[in-house]
Amino acid sequence: YMRVTVAGLLGGLVVFLWGAVSHMALPLGEMCMAEAGNEDAVIAVLKENMPAAGVYMVPGLSTAQMADEAAVASYKAKSTANPNAFVVYQPEGRDGTQMAQNLLRQYIGDTLAALIAAMILASGPFSKAKRVLLSAGMGAFAWLTVSAPYWNWYRFPQDFSLANLAMLLVGWLLAGFAKAWWLGRSGR
């Protein structure tokens, strides 16, 4: 258990550090992020028209409205003739410059994911190269199951989605090297 735990801790640290590099030193983490023009007006419209915390599609079509031909026709007309937005809305404010809690949660999430990956990588008589490739494959799996559907269904920008793919592939590839090195050590 200790061998797998250390491999997971190493992998989690590598993924976390790669995330810091990809966000602070490379453009990957900020790809397609933009600020709204006339932000105060946008904030006022959000407060007035979004009643509660949630994820909003604008224009939107609820599941219940899909049975209503007039609602579907209206949505089709609006969605093809107007801008589309995917809004993650929180009515209560928070200071985005205070990141300690977010960084801690990110580190814990990365480490838990790396522990799961280490258990998988230690489960068979894999070579170091195969462990590295399996770890990178886990990054690709994460992208295919989360980010690719967001790009497909919610129109996340292609550059944003490809940057996310690069972050996941490189992060889990690097973590794979660390985990494979540790798991492959003799006497451990």
Side-chain angles (χ1 to χ4, degrees), residues 95-181:
D95 183 353
T97 65
Q98 300 299 312
M99 294 184 260
Q101 189 175 26
N102 292 29
L103 289 170
L104 178 61
R105 274 189 241 145
Q106 185 67 48
Y107 176 73
I108 291 169
D110 290 343
T111 301
L112 290 174
L115 285 166
I116 293 168
M119 285 188 275
I120 294 167
L121 297 180
S123 69
F126 304 123
S127 68
K128 287 182 183 178
K130 191 161 195 168
R131 284 181 172 139
V132 171
L133 290 175
L134 283 169
S135 184
M138 291 176 204
F141 178 85
W143 184 82
L144 288 167
T145 58
V146 178
S147 298
Y150 283 10
W151 165 70
N152 180 40
W153 291 103
Y154 304 124
R155 300 182 184 186
F156 277 39
Q158 183 172 323
D159 289 348
F160 176 89
S161 299
L162 292 176
N164 191 258
L165 174 61
M167 288 189 298
L168 287 166
L169 278 179
V170 172
W172 288 100
L173 179 72
L174 295 173
F177 282 113
K179 291 179 290 188
W181 167 76

Side-chain angles (χ1 to χ4, degrees), residues 57 59-66 68 71-73 75-76:
M57 298 288 296
L61 181 69
S62 71
T63 305
Q65 291 173 313
M66 288 183 177
D68 179 351
V72 171
Y75 168 77
K76 284 180 182 181

